[in-house]
Amino acid sequence: MHCVDDDFSGFSILPPYNVINAQVLGQNANGKPQFLDKNAVILRYSAIPDANNSINSTSIDKTNFWDIDPIKNKSYAELLFGANLAKGQGIKNLYMPANAPSLANTTFAWSDHLGMFAAEGIPIFPIDDANNYNPYPVLRITAYDAQNPSLELAHTDIVVPVSDETTCSNCHATGKIAASIPGIPWSTQLNLEAQARTNVLLAHDFHEKTNLINQKPVLCAGCHYSPALDLAGNGQPTGDQIGHKWMSQVMHDYHANKMTDVDGKIIFDIPAPIAGLDPALHGVPPADQQACYQCHPGSETKCLRGAMTETVTCQNCHGGMAAVGGANALRSYGPIDQTNVASGQTRKAWTDEPRCQSCHTGDAVNHMTPAGAALASDGIRLIHAYDRNDLAASPFLASNKRFAENDNELFRFSKGHSGVACEGCHGSSHAIWPGDSAHPNDDIAPKDLQGHAGTISECTTCHKAGSLPLTLEGPHGMHNVGDSRWGQEHGHPSFYKNNPAECKACHGQDLRGSVLSRVAADRSWRTEWGTKSVKKGEPVGCYTCHNGPQGD
């Protein structure tokens, strides 16, 4: 989920700027998948309605981003980002489909850095064309033949989540705790968020002796470097940014000791489980009491949603606000880039993020149980990505790399299984598949590709049915999923006899099944003892069909 300011007249943290990365796979004559690049296909996005008939095809009249400042007589887009844009034009020259002057303005570029297609800077807002609020709009990604650009080859529908719930009004609205110092002319604007943003500038001027209120609109990243914007494109602070703390540091570390209560409600900035909370909440505090959700999307739009959210909060992975703000030095294993780790290195925003391997530290036989972190109820995964005694929340590095990202890379830049992007099978970082019933648009892509929600695990999503031999060389060492041959007499027994450790890695040391061997959909197998059926979510082991690994 990308964030976007819902008002640009006071200051801006983030412009309208969603990003879609995509890979295109075709099949050769033998049914083997192969990547198709810019020489083979052209990729474009278009707007389609979701199941509730909500469609988002335009960005015009949904924001004041392109409006003219009445005093400076320039658009807010130009004043903030130096870009003289037409209405509807994003700062990377992409448009929403209904506003695009040409097909080029809805076409993916090829990224040599990523080795895939990228549509960077789509100016989408969480308002549909009927003026209804919908932070989970759907776009269709269509591949066309590069030699015959009117020939459609295939398409996939995806959610393109966006939120304007980066709110300051919980604390900075006039009269609230951060806008109550006597003698300051706090804003009386009727628009609550515009009012709060004006108050932020007034508070900044009061505490830091600046004059931002007379410089509106203000781009925060103009002084506080943000890798999310990287205005100069060189990966480091330049100009007025030099000598100032990074944006993430000033926002998180400064506010870390101020998130104690909002409107009389205790605000939690510690990882779950939290003593005293209703056990029905699984240790996760209500959204309006979580520190991150006071600013990030959010108590309504849910930046963090999907498979993990029943048991973890943002802090389970990232640590508290002081940790995110880099208030303490990371442990040696903390930085993402392990090639040149410096002593005392603090967290680098947008780079030193939690890792999948920090909780998914291995398999059912070989995994970590480090001090300072609790095992989940399955006895395999961790529910904290770091040692809770570590004030910097340095993410663990797993010794068993079965579920690890690429070395020195984040999950969103990692690839596995012959180059397939990790996000292509698992979903985006904060919305890992399967989604939940409150966010059905999240699951459109996996349902489209494999017929059911959840991680892309069906081999026939990419491989022609029947083209693969029985194998243990799938993603993360998996075998062919949903292949009826495993249930036959000469299917799995020989695999177990040749390498029992590989079977136990997912099916458990006792081979009774584990969280790693749960079926992703209802399945049935023909066996020599008849048909065996299991329901979605059931773990499969030797005892599912017969009396242990040697039984009949």
Side-chain angles (χ1 to χ4, degrees), residues 411 417 420-427 433 446 450 454-457 462 475-476:
F411 164 75
H417 196 51
V420 176
C422 296
E423 286 191 322
C425 289
H426 291 280
W433 296 324
Q450 67 176 359
T455 301
I456 303 298
S457 57
C462 300
H476 307 297

Side-chain angles (χ1 to χ4, degrees), residues 16 30 102 109 158 165 196 200 331 431 495:
N30 297 319
S102 73
I158 64 166
E165 202 185 351
V200 169
R331 293 180 178 177
F495 278 83

Side-chain angles (χ1 to χ4, degrees), residues 8 53 58 106 124 144 153-154 165 202 205 212 225 281 289 299 332 337 342 397 410 457 466 487 498 506 509 532 543:
F8 292 91
N53 207 35
T58 175
T106 57
I124 194 169
Y144 297 87
L153 300 176
E165 202 185 351
L202 290 168
D205 289 345
L212 300 182
Y225 174 70
L281 296 173
Q289 290 184 256
S299 56
S332 61
D337 188 349
L397 276 176
L410 294 169
S457 57
N498 292 332
C506 289
Q509 186 71 48
K532 181 65 182 179
Y543 295 84

Side-chain angles (χ1 to χ4, degrees), residues 76-117:
Y76 295 123
E78 184 173 1
L79 292 169
L80 290 163
F81 298 97
N84 186 12
L85 304 175
K87 271 213 165 186
Q89 183 181 13
I91 60 178
K92 285 292 184 74
N93 203 33
L94 293 179
Y95 287 73
M96 288 299 289
N99 309 136
S102 73
L103 291 176
N105 301 112
T106 57
T107 298
F108 284 67
W110 177 261
S111 170
D112 289 325
H113 168 65
L114 297 174
M116 64 179 78
F117 293 91

Side-chain angles (χ1 to χ4, degrees), residues 510-524:
D510 59 4
L511 292 168
R512 291 182 178 275
S514 80
V515 66
L516 301 177
S517 66
R518 294 181 303 186
V519 294
D522 293 351
R523 300 197 191 279
S524 295

Side-chain angles (χ1 to χ4, degrees), residues 50-63:
D50 64 14
N52 293 319
N53 207 35
S54 173
I55 187 169
N56 193 330
S57 68
T58 175
S59 55
I60 294 176
D61 298 328
K62 297 178 180 179
T63 176

